[in-house]
Amino acid sequence: MNVLPLDDPRLTAMGLLSEVSTGLSDKTLPTLAAAGLSEIDFETLIRLARSPGQRLRMSDLAAQTTLSTSGVTRVVDRLEREGLVTREACATDRRTSYAVITETGLARLGDVLPQHLADIEAWLTGLLSPDRLSAFLDALRTIRDAVRPCATAGAQAPPSGEAGSCEDPPGRPPSRRSPEDRGR
């Protein structure tokens, strides 16, 4: 008879991670909803606000949010209708466009961030000592970098001579966009 490894700590790790993620969403969603934002709306706005020039290429925004390119287009379309985001064409590549947070989008973030940060403090960071929080963040970054290497696409310009973005498949030369464009 084959014994199932039901007490394997790897199963426990995945279960705990899932439970924590779901629980945190349950605790933070009411604040976002009160501000008229879904989780993906908030994630889109905060990523744009924290990016260089407060803008990202649509493809990088898709990579950061785990949405498909069509999914991120729908989100940006909705946020654009609400005046929270605009689109800008790339001056050097007609195929590329940027999502840019507007002043109205920044104001909406300003309205929701104080309570959202209080929620995060109450249900996540405040539960850990500074040393444990630092170790936790390091561990999360290690895992994130392994399972979602494109999660920071466009967050900074790549070092000279490196591939421009997660759009450049391994083993192929980097895209022909300018170095300034590649880092956005």
Side-chain angles (χ1 to χ4, degrees):
M1 180 171 178
N2 192 8
V3 177
L4 297 175
L6 298 176
D7 61 348
D8 191 308
R10 294 173 289 189
L11 294 172
T12 302
M14 282 299 293
L16 286 171
L17 187 59
S18 177
E19 291 168 6
V20 166
S21 178
T22 300
L24 287 172
S25 288
D26 291 346
K27 297 294 186 186
T28 59
L29 189 57
T31 295
L32 301 180
L37 297 172
S38 69
E39 286 177 300
I40 193 62
D41 293 344
F42 177 79
E43 184 177 1
T44 300
L45 293 175
I46 199 73
R47 287 183 181 273
L48 291 173
R50 294 180 62 166
S51 293
Q54 297 186 319
R55 68 189 203 146
L56 282 168
R57 288 187 312 177
M58 293 287 286
S59 57
D60 290 338
L61 183 57
Q64 286 192 21
T65 60
T66 71
L67 289 171
S68 65
T69 52
S70 62
V72 84
T73 296
R74 285 190 296 276
V75 170
V76 169
D77 285 347
R78 185 175 64 254
L79 294 174
E80 194 170 30
R81 283 191 300 272
E82 293 181 39
L84 305 176
V85 170
T86 61
R87 283 198 178 111
E88 288 181 3
C90 176
T92 60
D93 185 347
R94 292 186 314 221
R95 300 166 296 172
T96 301
S97 65
Y98 295 90
V100 183
I101 192 166
T102 64
E103 290 299 319
T104 304
L106 289 170
R108 180 80 62 92
L109 280 179
D111 291 343
V112 74
L113 271 178
Q115 184 57 51
H116 186 63
L117 290 170
D119 293 344
I120 292 169
E121 179 70 16
W123 300 109
L124 178 63
T125 58
L127 301 174
L128 303 172
S129 70
D131 289 342
R132 288 182 85 186
L133 178 59
S134 180
F136 179 65
L137 294 175
D138 288 344
L140 288 176
R141 284 187 184 101
T142 298
I143 296 164
R144 186 266 329 265
D145 291 348
V147 300
R148 291 202 50 228
C150 293
T152 59
Q156 60 188 2
S160 182
E162 287 190 16
S165 75
C166 291
E167 293 179 335
D168 299 321
R172 287 192 40 196
S175 65
R176 295 183 186 220
R177 288 185 281 281
S178 69
E180 294 81 22
D181 185 43
R182 277 189 251 144
R184 297 189 183 144

